[in-house]
Amino acid sequence: MTELAVFANLQPCVPVRITTDAIEIEEALAAIGTRYRRLSIIHDLPDATDGQAVLDAYGDEIERIAAEGGYRSADLLRADSRHREGALQWLCAGDEHVHAEDEVRFFVRGGGAFYLHVKHLIYRVTCECGDLLAIAAGVSHWFDAGSAGDFVAIRLYNDPSGWIPRFTGDAISAYVPRVGV
């Protein structure tokens, strides 16, 4: 179940707010410039489906998301015991960083937790299959794929160079509780 937990910087182990209500999550994240919503998923895609087949199957949804955000490209991030496409991106994303453009993920299998550090608060968004999260350019964040690192996500962007992380050097990610995802 998708969950939003909000922590204060000075007490990163004690959430000040927790909700699983999709409307509350959408509104709380919109207030910090992040888009969230639930999308329909295709249930009959086999695990072994190649990346292009997944992108083709979700073509209409990708076009809608791209049109809303002005994104020009989409690719697939897949991480499990057999696939490590994009492994560098998700393995080293556990330290706080920012991007020059929006970070957009649509989870089509599995999930992960994004941590958004905005002013004096940390928003942990535990995403699951069917979740779309679009983190605005410049928002400090990190990602936790969980110990299994099992997910498939469609990533949308304008320019691959805008997706390169710029690490902030803030150690806050080491102090916030991780979820098992």
Side-chain angles (χ1 to χ4, degrees):
M1 174 173 290
T2 305
E3 178 185 86
L4 171 65
V6 182
F7 302 86
N9 277 1
L10 298 176
Q11 290 188 312
C13 293
V14 181
V16 294
R17 177 181 183 185
I18 297 177
T19 184
T20 57
D21 181 274
I23 293 171
E24 288 182 21
I25 293 170
E26 183 177 354
E27 290 172 352
L29 295 176
I32 60 167
T34 296
R35 292 188 328 266
Y36 165 80
R37 74 172 180 255
R38 294 280 306 157
L39 301 174
S40 297
I41 58 165
I42 299 171
H43 293 283
D44 58 352
L45 283 177
D47 286 344
T49 301
D50 69 72
Q52 190 57 52
V54 173
L55 292 172
D56 291 344
Y58 282 100
D60 291 341
E61 196 65 65
I62 291 169
E63 283 183 26
R64 276 191 291 278
I65 298 165
E68 288 172 9
Y71 309 115
R72 297 182 304 213
S73 299
D75 63 11
L76 199 72
L77 292 177
R78 179 176 17 209
D80 60 26
S81 61
R82 297 180 315 266
H83 303 95
R84 290 292 179 229
E85 295 173 29
L88 178 61
Q89 288 92 341
W90 73 265
L91 284 173
C92 67
D95 291 328
E96 185 180 77
H97 61 278
V98 298
H99 298 283
E101 66 176 63
D102 296 354
E103 180 162 356
V104 183
R105 296 284 184 280
F106 171 31
F107 288 93
V108 297
R109 193 189 81 218
F114 277 95
Y115 298 76
L116 315 175
H117 188 188
V118 179
K119 296 184 181 175
H120 63 283
L121 296 174
I122 298 155
Y123 297 75
R124 182 182 67 204
V125 187
T126 306
C127 296
E128 65 180 359
C129 184
D131 284 342
L132 171 72
L133 192 67
I135 302 167
V139 172
S140 297
H141 66 280
W142 62 95
F143 179 69
D144 180 7
S147 58
D150 186 8
F151 69 88
V152 176
I154 296 170
R155 174 176 65 174
L156 289 94
Y157 52 92
N158 288 313
D159 178 357
S161 67
W163 196 86
I164 296 170
R166 191 179 86 241
F167 293 95
T168 67
D170 191 327
I172 190 71
S173 63
Y175 301 104
V176 178
R178 304 287 184 159
V179 292
V181 189

